[in-house]
Amino acid sequence: MCSRCAALSRRSMLAGGGALAAMLATGSAQARTSPADMVPLIGPGFRPTDTDEKGLWQLMDRAEEEISGSNLLLKDPALVSYLQGIIGTVGGPAAKDMRIYLAHVPDFNAMMFPSGFAVVFSGLLLRMRNEAQLAGVIAHESGHFLRRHMIRSWRDQKRKSDLFAVGAMAAGVAGAGAGVYTGDYVQLAQLATILSLFAYSRAMEAEADAMGARLIAEAGYPPIEMANVWEQLIGEEDASAAYRRKRRRRGSLFDTHPSEGSRLADLKISAAEVTVPGRTYDSGRARYLEKIAPIREMLLEDQVKLNDPGASQYLLNTLALDGWNGLLRYYEGEVWRLRNRAGDDTRAAQSYAVAVAYPDAPAEAWRWHGLSLIKEGRSGEGKAALGRYLQMKPAAPDAPFIRQMVG
């Protein structure tokens, strides 16, 4: 699943128009937008009254109906309810009208649609170190909706484009909503590409940043976490490019971003402006980890199978800033094992050995630790480790083979 969705998500979704991709790919050459100046333009129960906006909402209603029934979505009621709770907290005055869906795509992305529903990718959840960071991303998306960026961009697109281009765009939305594009990944990629035609301006992105900072601060989250997310994303993209000894991928978050440092500086200034001295802010780290615990192993598995060791290792090290554990150490070993260069088997074996010292080490860590020990000639210790693997996962597909090895 991952290799297929990686290609689509990176090329078509990330570059093609996820709203968060636009957020992070925009420069800051214009004057800063202050959070204090951000006033929501949409209130509770908003419905469009203009003909063109009504038509756009009708198309998006069809698209949402299709997405809501997609097999690509993670069917985890508790987790989706948790995400809905966050958007309900940082969605401003229209929070109760917003909906959120979780797609199983291992990339950093989220996108807000013009009618008030959002799609969050599972890879985003992996990269967030706490609830405040996730809330910052969702608040940014909410900012686009509250400031009516979609309809403003739609109208601007119609002014700048010929009628044929606009007609093709509308047909694409309708086709995606009606299921014309077969296959869940293709469908979502097409919808993301359509969203790229809304083309938020730098001023709009600055507004969404400022609105997001204000929303999470008012909700009691430390607003500096929005800047931390941006800084982490810069680091991951740089690590990926450095490993490949190439410039950042075309279509990455930074293609149109000549100075990501200025964006980071603006986010930090906004955070300082909305931080109230003496107020206690809660990052919600423990709560966040508890909520994603049931799928965290799956999220890490998806990531390492993207075959991007530079990004994966950076991500693991970033998550480990809050403390290493058995799960992270195991997947550190998987990065090296799957890369399979000279010396990587030794690196992987060391990571597995460290992983099993933690109480949360997954069963597979014991499996690979045992096999590594046997390869080193430490048969007794290796068989003991494999025995532990069988105790933890007696019905594993390879259990009969492992039992023969243990004897």
Side-chain angles (χ1 to χ4, degrees):
M1 171 256 178
C2 293
S3 60
R4 182 184 178 191
C5 66
L8 281 167
S9 60
R10 289 180 187 276
R11 290 195 295 267
S12 301
M13 298 176 188
L14 198 56
L20 183 62
M23 162 197 170
L24 297 178
T26 306
S28 300
Q30 77 288 342
R32 275 193 65 254
T33 299
S34 172
D37 296 332
M38 288 296 95
V39 177
L41 303 178
I42 288 178
F46 173 81
R47 296 296 298 179
T49 55
D50 294 337
T51 301
D52 61 343
E53 191 170 9
K54 282 183 178 179
L56 181 60
W57 274 50
Q58 288 174 353
L59 293 173
M60 289 301 151
D61 286 345
R62 293 166 62 186
E64 181 178 4
E65 181 179 0
E66 192 72 19
I67 288 175
S68 66
S70 170
N71 290 328
L72 186 61
L73 297 184
L74 283 173
K75 311 298 183 181
D76 187 328
L79 186 55
V80 174
S81 176
Y82 171 66
L83 295 176
Q84 189 65 48
I86 293 178
I87 203 170
T89 301
V90 300
K96 292 184 178 180
D97 302 316
M98 295 179 181
R99 293 83 64 203
I100 195 164
Y101 301 94
L102 177 59
H104 189 186
V105 181
D107 246 323
F108 185 113
N109 210 357
M111 43 189 154
M112 175 66 77
F113 287 74
S115 55
F117 75 93
V119 177
V120 171
F121 289 2
S122 57
L124 175 69
L125 299 188
L126 174 62
R127 287 160 173 80
M128 301 296 96
R129 292 169 58 190
N130 53 53
E131 186 175 288
Q133 292 192 349
L134 176 60
V137 171
I138 294 175
H140 176 96
E141 299 303 318
S142 299
H144 282 305
F145 184 66
L146 294 172
R147 295 292 296 177
R148 293 173 54 76
H149 290 164
M150 293 83 168
I151 188 60
R152 288 161 57 186
S153 295
W154 166 264
R155 288 167 177 165
D156 186 58
Q157 179 71 19
K158 287 199 294 183
R159 284 193 296 269
K160 293 178 179 179
S161 304
D162 58 51
L163 293 177
F164 178 80
V166 174
M169 177 180 176
V173 175
V180 172
Y181 304 115
T182 59
D184 293 307
Y185 296 106
V186 175
Q187 180 190 74
L188 195 55
Q190 292 284 0
L191 286 169
T193 301
I194 289 163
L195 280 183
S196 71
L197 298 178
F198 288 100
Y200 297 140
S201 67
R202 291 185 174 185
M204 288 179 181
E205 291 300 338
E207 286 187 4
D209 275 350
M211 178 67 80
R214 180 173 178 173
L215 289 170
I216 67 169
E218 291 174 350
Y221 295 112
I224 192 63
E225 291 296 355
M226 287 187 69
N228 291 340
V229 170
W230 172 230
E231 191 167 25
Q232 290 163 200
L233 194 54
I234 293 172
E236 181 182 339
E237 195 74 8
D238 282 342
S240 176
Y243 172 79
R244 293 178 289 108
R245 297 181 181 179
K246 296 179 180 179
R247 299 181 64 184
R248 290 166 174 163
R249 284 183 295 268
R250 292 187 62 188
S252 79
L253 299 175
F254 307 96
D255 279 359
T256 59
H257 196 304
S259 179
E260 59 259 22
S262 62
R263 185 65 174 278
L264 181 60
D266 285 352
L267 287 167
K268 289 182 177 180
I269 293 171
S270 291
E273 289 178 353
V274 297
T275 298
V276 178
R279 180 177 180 179
T280 300
Y281 293 93
D282 179 17
S283 72
R285 172 172 163 73
R287 183 170 57 248
Y288 178 69
L289 292 181
E290 178 185 356
K291 294 297 184 181
I292 70 165
I295 67 165
R296 202 179 195 204
E297 185 171 349
M298 178 196 76
L299 299 179
L300 287 163
E301 184 78 15
D302 289 346
Q303 174 61 35
V304 299
K305 288 184 177 178
L306 290 176
N307 193 29
D308 190 347
S312 294
Q313 191 60 50
Y314 176 88
L315 177 56
L316 288 168
N317 287 332
T318 299
L319 295 176
L321 292 174
D322 298 303
W324 282 99
N325 56 42
L327 193 62
L328 294 179
R329 284 298 187 188
Y330 166 66
Y331 279 104
E332 179 185 54
E334 287 293 271
V335 170
W336 303 131
R337 182 180 70 84
L338 294 173
R339 191 178 72 163
N340 196 31
R341 290 186 179 178
D344 282 349
D345 55 345
T346 300
R347 296 186 184 93
Q350 291 170 345
S351 295
Y352 299 140
V354 174
V356 298
Y358 290 91
D360 69 325
E364 286 74 12
W366 287 98
R367 178 186 188 275
W368 285 108
H369 179 50
L371 294 174
S372 297
L373 289 171
I374 290 174
K375 184 178 180 180
E376 293 173 13
R378 299 161 64 181
S379 179
E381 295 173 82
K383 289 181 178 180
L386 292 177
R388 178 68 179 274
Y389 167 67
L390 292 173
Q391 289 176 1
M392 296 176 69
K393 214 167 184 178
D398 63 346
F401 170 73
I402 297 297
R403 288 192 181 95
Q404 286 184 347
M405 291 187 67
V406 173

